[in-house]
Amino acid sequence: MSLENMVAQNAEEINRILLEEIERKKTEFHTFNKIPRLSRECVITEKLDGTNAQILITEDKKLYAGSRNRWLIEDGVLVSDNFGFGAWVLQNKEELVEGLGIGRHFGEWWGAGIQRKYGLKEKRFSLFNTDKWSNEYVRPKCCHVVPVLYKGMFTTDRVDEWVLTLSVDGSKAAPGFMDPEGVVIYHVAAGTYFKKTIKNDESPKGKVNAE
């Protein structure tokens, strides 16, 4: 058998295996996920209007940092930036690596020059994991945490109460700033985040931004 015939035969066999796998997956059994109960614990925090950010620290302490859509730092090297977040991470590298530890850490990069600006002269990185980082003596000194407004049984009344409170009293993250965005609700049993904004909550995000 010639080399060309062997290559063609192998290609046909590979295609046959791939087609069989595709057909198998079409009929593969899938279970329906268990439905979490709605009336369970939730955590309501202030929704900050900045830009999504994350820090990843690997087991061998390599440092990565990213925006919502791309890496800004890869293996400790700045490859891009987003409102100065990458540069800030490098400036605080040692404290972040030692203080946050191994894992992926999500938060909001907000303040001066970003979205609402909040009347701040500086930018801040506020971590989302309130259970882990609310204690200021535990988290890195260069980091903040999103303010916890309520922790308890989920009800829409509680959500609406805190949306109203923020609209009247202003931001808890930046006291004195009277145009906060809204709230984020973390439903513990579902392991899912929801948001409710003070203004234009009924409109899709793209439409609100366009307006």
Side-chain angles (χ1 to χ4, degrees):
M1 182 182 293
S2 69
L3 179 60
E4 288 183 356
N5 288 338
M6 290 179 62
V7 170
Q9 186 175 350
N10 287 338
E12 289 178 1
E13 180 65 14
I14 291 171
N15 285 334
R16 183 187 65 77
I17 293 171
L18 288 174
L19 288 172
E20 287 180 355
E21 181 65 13
I22 290 170
E23 289 300 315
R24 186 187 69 78
K25 285 186 175 296
K26 287 181 181 178
T27 57
E28 190 175 57
F29 182 78
H30 290 274
T31 60
F32 189 81
N33 292 335
K34 290 184 177 181
I35 301 174
R37 295 183 183 273
L38 182 61
S39 298
R40 290 295 184 268
E41 184 181 47
C42 75
V43 181
I44 300 176
T45 58
E46 181 178 348
K47 185 179 188 309
L48 300 175
D49 188 16
T51 184
N52 189 265
Q54 64 171 292
I55 295 171
L56 170 65
I57 299 165
T58 64
E59 292 187 1
D60 53 357
K61 294 193 175 182
K62 291 181 178 179
L63 176 68
Y64 292 74
S67 64
R68 182 184 297 277
N69 300 311
R70 69 186 191 279
W71 287 122
L72 308 175
I73 294 174
E74 296 184 29
D75 195 4
V77 178
L78 186 70
V79 296
S80 183
D81 214 341
N82 187 38
F83 292 103
F85 180 66
W88 176 85
V89 170
L90 287 182
Q91 288 170 5
N92 296 278
K93 178 179 179 179
E94 291 185 6
E95 185 177 354
L96 291 169
V97 170
E98 295 302 321
L100 293 177
I102 296 168
R104 197 178 298 267
H105 310 280
F106 290 96
E108 194 81 359
W109 180 239
W110 62 289
I114 309 175
Q115 304 291 9
R116 277 174 165 77
K117 304 179 183 67
Y118 288 83
L120 297 177
K121 295 181 179 179
E122 77 283 356
K123 297 179 181 71
R124 299 175 182 175
F125 180 54
S126 290
L127 293 155
F128 291 152
N129 189 337
T130 56
D131 276 350
K132 187 171 185 178
W133 302 116
S134 286
N135 187 335
E136 63 179 311
Y137 299 107
V138 173
R139 68 177 180 267
K141 286 182 169 49
C142 61
C143 295
H144 294 75
V145 68
V146 292
V148 175
L149 307 174
Y150 168 81
K151 186 174 183 179
M153 189 69 71
F154 169 82
T155 69
T156 55
D157 286 344
R158 283 287 179 268
V159 175
D160 291 339
E161 285 173 10
W162 277 106
V163 169
L164 178 61
T165 297
L166 286 176
S167 69
V168 173
D169 295 342
S171 172
K172 301 296 183 184
F177 181 75
M178 300 307 295
D179 187 28
E181 186 178 14
V183 299
V184 170
I185 307 99
Y186 177 66
H187 192 280
V188 177
T192 302
Y193 289 92
F194 301 91
K195 65 181 178 182
K196 187 175 179 67
T197 55
I198 294 171
K199 300 175 182 176
N200 301 309
D201 188 63
E202 70 285 352
S203 301
K205 181 176 182 180
K207 185 175 180 180
V208 172
N209 289 344
E211 294 173 353

